[in-house]
Amino acid sequence: MQSRFILMEGATIAVALVLMAGALSLSAAIRSQFASGVEALQQQIALQTQVHDALDNTVLGFWRYYGSNNASLLTQYRKSEAALRTLTKRAADTAVSQAHRDAVAELSTREDDFLGFAGQLAAGPQNEKTDEPKFNKLTNRELRVRNVLRSMEQKQFQDLSAATHKLGRYSQWLRILVLVLGVFPLTVMLWFRRAHDRRIWAPLEQLHGMVMEVQRGNLDVRGEVPETVELGSLTTAFLVMACELKGMRDSLEEKVRERAAQLEAAHKDLLRAAKLASLGQLVSGVAHEINNPLTSILGFSEVVLGRPGLDPSMRTQLQVVRDEALRLKHLVANLSRISRRGPRQLHRMDLRTVPARMLQLRSYQLAANNVRLQYTPAKEPIWVKGDADLLLQVMLQLALNAEQSIRESREKGEIRLKCDVWDARARITVEDNGCGMAAEVRDHVFDPFFTNRPMWQGTGLGLSVCHSIVEQHDGEVGVESEVGRGTTIRVLLPLATASEDFIQEHGSAVRQEEPQIAVSNKPAEVPARADPARRFLVIDDETEILNLVSFVLAKTGATVVTLQDSTRLDSILNQQGFDAVLCDLKMPGQDGLSVLRTLRQAHPALARKFLLMTGNLADADKAQIELEGVPVLPKPFTLVRLRAMVGEILSSNP
């Protein structure tokens, strides 16, 4: 028995060894055939992965270069393009079937179409707005290339499935042999099957699931990397690709959010600009309609004040009329600055002088209102290019707002001023401990006509004018405020270089502004010297202004001819000779520019003795080139200013 068992055991072992040898031989043949197919498929998949990565690098390189005009980025883009073409050619050379060669040929055609179009965009002029249709075409071509790559990938998976089915048929023959010959071959076959499932089918199912997740848009895929070299490298490459795609998508989403924030900020700026533009149009018309009658009020009040023997009580009343007219004039001028962008002249100046001047003007009044004003100037000069009067107006308005904020919340308060250099720019800080502002109020403080005070306490124009003045100086103004904790306003201006010790003129036409002269109670005196040889032509559609100018010029003994309708200009010029012409700019029919053109053509010498009057300097700004060298007298004007301007044009060279 023992011998039989030994013999049976030996025979079983011998049979098992023979069967194992046969099974191993058959399995080796099958594995060799399957391995060669898998190896070829692996090479194709690896090469296709490289083509896909090269396509991603080429697309990314193109978008990095486009719009930057960076030579190094262009070089990187060209290298990515060359690498893509090389890999595609290698894929064509290593194709093992006619279907694969046809697919690679289609891929090459799509790539040439995409790269050619991308090359045209990269070499041509770059404009994101006008190139948007071309971007759509380029994206369509890119999608076609990716569709071909996707179809090739599906074909490779089909080939892998076919090879797997072939392996299954061979496995069936092996199972039949194992079932016939014994338990041991069956056990060996079951073990082989389990290993086959664990090492091939499970990784393939996992990879297929990850592919489906990516197709559904989930790029945050996770998976176990198989131990086999073939499927392990394939799964690793797929996971790396998904991670890179996720990073690119997150980067694009971040760029979209940034661009959306930029567009929202630009939209707010556009709305404010639209409000200012509308306000500028309104102010332009209102200023002209106000300044014309205001000229007559101001002028004739000065005429009456200049009469000797005027009743003192009447003089006091007329002086009030003149003072209030000047006040209204300055109010209209402040409104006009909203529509006229840019200061008329910028001087190199020490910014510390502006708060110092404001202290001289307001410190006593603030102290009387129980408001302590503290100023901390810089030790060294802070040089900027600016208009000292306009910047002083900004400081006065900021101090006034701070005072009103304090008086609304407490009996005593403090305003702290600071002038220093911050972040390579000049900075003025106005801080108060007043009532502060809520967020919804803080966001609109610089909007025209916005105010949270009662109607009789504010117009909503003060901070809007300040903002406009600061923008004219290429500066910025910001506000920080909380309810109950006060307000801090910071004005930032660009620093001036040491060589900028000149006056920068804005606009070619000469803008003669009204000087700030203290009003005297003494009557305005008429020059004693008369010159009856002088002849003046005064043109204006306002009868009162004609009467005022005629009266003032006639006091010098000169002859004054008035013309309310400029259509008779040619006949009057041909009949009489004049030493100077005073003309309004905006008139019905033939305006002041038309009169100037007529004089330049027919009477060039008289055109050089031309004084333009206007109630709105914004109208003169529109014709800066044509008004080059022409003196402009803004309305309303004082009689002193009128005589000075007339004297200047008479004394100028012919």
Side-chain angles (χ1 to χ4, degrees):
M1 181 68 67
Q2 184 176 3
S3 299
R4 288 198 303 271
F5 277 108
I6 293 175
L7 181 60
M8 290 176 60
E9 184 178 4
T12 303
I13 293 174
V15 172
L17 290 175
V18 172
L19 293 177
M20 186 177 294
L24 289 175
S25 300
L26 182 60
S27 176
I30 295 174
R31 187 175 181 83
S32 176
Q33 183 178 2
F34 180 74
S36 62
V38 171
E39 182 179 2
L41 181 60
Q42 176 189 357
Q43 293 177 356
Q44 293 177 7
I45 293 176
L47 185 57
Q48 182 177 342
T49 301
Q50 295 176 6
V51 172
H52 198 281
D53 294 340
L55 176 61
D56 291 340
N57 292 334
T58 302
V59 173
L60 183 60
F62 171 79
W63 289 114
R64 284 178 175 173
Y65 164 70
Y66 185 84
S68 65
N69 293 324
N70 190 307
S72 63
L73 293 179
L74 179 60
T75 302
Q76 294 178 7
Y77 165 66
R78 295 301 183 193
K79 288 182 179 179
S80 301
E81 179 182 357
L84 178 61
R85 293 183 184 275
T86 301
L87 291 173
T88 304
K89 185 176 183 304
R90 189 188 302 170
D93 296 337
T94 58
V96 296
S97 64
Q98 183 62 38
H100 189 225
R101 284 192 290 271
D102 294 341
V104 174
E106 183 180 3
L107 174 64
S108 178
T109 302
R110 298 297 186 186
E111 283 182 358
D112 291 339
D113 186 26
F114 167 74
L115 295 175
F117 194 78
Q120 294 177 6
L121 285 179
Q126 298 177 3
N127 188 317
E128 291 185 0
K129 294 183 179 179
T130 59
D131 287 348
E132 186 176 357
K134 298 181 180 179
F135 294 161
N136 296 332
K137 295 181 180 179
L138 182 65
T139 303
N140 292 334
R141 286 168 169 80
E142 178 188 351
L143 290 176
R144 293 170 187 167
V145 175
R146 295 189 184 277
N147 290 335
V148 174
L149 286 173
R150 190 180 297 107
S151 64
M152 292 175 66
E153 180 183 1
Q154 294 174 354
K155 182 61 173 62
Q156 289 169 352
F157 278 107
Q158 292 175 0
D159 293 341
L160 179 61
S161 177
T164 304
H165 286 302
K166 186 176 182 181
L167 177 63
R169 288 195 300 271
Y170 283 119
S171 299
Q172 290 178 0
W173 286 103
L174 287 175
R175 285 193 296 270
I176 293 174
L177 180 61
V178 170
L179 289 173
V180 172
L181 296 177
V183 176
F184 183 73
L186 180 60
T187 305
V188 174
M189 191 62 191
L190 291 176
W191 175 85
F192 180 77
R193 178 74 179 189
R194 187 170 62 247
H196 182 271
D197 291 340
R198 186 177 67 254
R199 295 177 178 272
I200 296 178
W201 283 106
L204 287 178
E205 289 295 334
Q206 175 184 262
L207 185 60
H208 181 266
M210 290 189 294
V211 171
M212 297 303 296
E213 287 294 325
V214 171
Q215 288 182 351
R216 286 192 290 268
N218 180 21
L219 299 179
D220 192 15
V221 293
R222 296 288 186 272
E224 182 180 356
V225 179
E227 297 178 358
T228 56
V229 177
E230 298 86 354
L231 294 178
S233 60
L234 177 62
T235 304
T236 302
F238 184 83
L239 290 174
V240 171
M241 179 192 70
C243 183
E244 292 178 351
L245 289 176
K246 182 177 182 298
M248 294 173 59
R249 184 186 66 181
D250 294 342
S251 177
L252 289 175
E253 289 178 352
E254 181 64 25
K255 291 181 179 179
V256 169
R257 286 192 292 269
E258 292 177 358
R259 183 58 61 87
Q262 293 174 359
L263 289 177
E264 184 178 359
H267 180 66
K268 292 181 179 179
D269 292 340
L270 183 61
L271 289 178
R272 186 179 184 279
K275 291 180 181 179
L276 288 177
S278 301
L279 178 60
Q281 294 178 357
L282 174 64
V283 169
S284 179
V286 171
H288 182 270
E289 296 301 323
I290 292 178
N291 284 332
N292 275 329
L294 193 58
T295 301
S296 302
I297 296 172
L298 183 61
F300 281 113
S301 64
E302 289 188 359
V303 169
V304 178
L305 285 171
R307 292 179 180 177
L310 185 64
D311 183 77
S313 60
M314 183 65 68
R315 178 180 299 278
T316 301
Q317 296 171 359
L318 288 174
Q319 189 65 50
V320 171
V321 172
R322 184 177 185 275
D323 293 344
E324 293 302 312
L326 288 174
R327 177 184 174 187
L328 183 58
K329 170 193 172 183
H330 296 321
L331 175 60
V332 175
N334 289 339
L335 288 172
S336 300
R337 289 193 180 98
I338 298 177
S339 59
R340 299 178 61 226
R341 311 296 293 176
R344 287 174 292 275
Q345 57 183 357
L346 299 177
H347 299 265
R348 184 173 182 267
M349 55 171 291
D350 185 358
L351 186 60
R352 298 178 302 172
T353 61
V354 176
R357 289 178 59 191
M358 194 276 289
L359 285 172
Q360 296 175 355
L361 296 174
R362 293 286 298 161
S363 59
Y364 176 80
Q365 185 63 39
L366 290 172
N369 292 333
N370 293 325
V371 177
R372 180 172 175 265
L373 187 59
Q374 179 181 353
Y375 174 42
T376 305
K379 296 181 179 180
E380 300 293 334
I382 302 177
W383 299 107
V384 297
K385 288 194 303 180
D387 187 318
D389 292 334
L390 293 181
L391 294 178
L392 177 61
Q393 179 183 346
V394 172
M395 290 298 303
L396 290 172
Q397 184 62 50
L398 296 182
L400 177 61
N401 278 33
E403 178 189 359
Q404 292 175 345
S405 177
I406 291 172
R407 297 178 65 180
E408 288 179 7
S409 60
R410 61 186 68 207
E411 295 181 359
K412 295 183 179 180
E414 183 180 26
I415 300 176
R416 292 178 292 277
L417 304 180
K418 186 177 181 181
C419 184
D420 58 1
V421 176
W422 179 82
D423 194 20
R425 289 187 291 181
R427 179 176 66 174
I428 294 180
T429 304
V430 181
E431 182 179 0
D432 66 72
N433 58 350
C435 60
M437 293 179 286
E440 57 272 15
V441 177
R442 185 178 61 246
D443 294 339
H444 298 281
V445 291
F446 298 117
D447 291 348
F449 298 114
F450 176 83
T451 179
N452 61 341
R453 295 190 174 92
M455 184 180 302
W456 60 87
Q457 293 184 7
T459 62
L461 287 173
L463 289 180
S464 177
V465 172
C466 291
H467 189 278
S468 177
I469 292 173
V470 173
E471 281 189 339
Q472 292 169 14
H473 287 74
D474 297 327
E476 300 176 6
V477 56
V479 57
E480 298 178 5
S481 183
E482 293 184 17
V483 176
R485 302 188 62 179
T487 301
T488 301
I489 296 182
R490 294 181 177 88
V491 177
L492 299 177
L493 300 174
L495 293 173
T497 60
S499 60
E500 292 176 330
D501 52 352
F502 56 86
I503 298 176
Q504 178 180 350
E505 295 293 340
H506 284 257
S508 56
V510 177
R511 303 283 183 260
Q512 298 293 343
E513 293 289 343
E514 180 74 25
Q516 300 300 321
I517 303 174
V519 179
S520 173
N521 290 328
K522 295 182 179 180
E525 297 182 358
V526 179
R529 185 178 63 86
D531 192 352
R534 297 290 188 186
R535 293 179 57 84
F536 296 97
L537 175 61
V538 182
I539 308 173
D540 199 304
D541 59 323
E542 296 283 344
T543 305
E544 292 77 8
I545 296 179
L546 285 177
N547 296 335
L548 174 65
V549 176
S550 299
F551 179 82
V552 174
L553 296 179
K555 283 291 185 178
T556 65
T559 302
V560 181
V561 177
T562 60
L563 187 62
Q564 192 171 7
D565 184 4
S566 57
T567 56
R568 299 173 46 232
L569 178 65
D570 293 334
S571 60
I572 291 180
L573 290 175
N574 293 331
Q575 295 175 4
Q576 306 178 39
F578 297 96
D579 296 290
V581 176
L582 287 74
C583 182
D584 187 25
L585 174 60
K586 192 172 183 180
M587 297 182 296
Q590 191 175 11
D591 58 9
L593 290 177
S594 300
V595 173
L596 180 60
R597 296 188 194 105
T598 301
L599 294 177
R600 285 175 173 172
Q601 292 177 359
H603 307 276
L606 188 57
R608 291 189 290 271
K609 303 292 185 180
F610 185 85
L611 176 61
L612 187 67
M613 301 180 295
T614 179
N616 184 14
L617 285 175
D619 296 332
D621 290 338
K622 299 176 183 178
Q624 291 183 3
I625 298 177
E626 194 168 4
L627 292 178
E628 177 71 29
V630 176
V632 177
L633 179 61
K635 298 178 183 178
F637 47 79
T638 63
L639 302 187
V640 174
R641 192 60 187 160
L642 174 62
R643 297 188 187 100
M645 291 289 292
V646 172
E648 289 178 6
I649 63 173
L650 292 177
S651 61
S652 61
N653 295 327

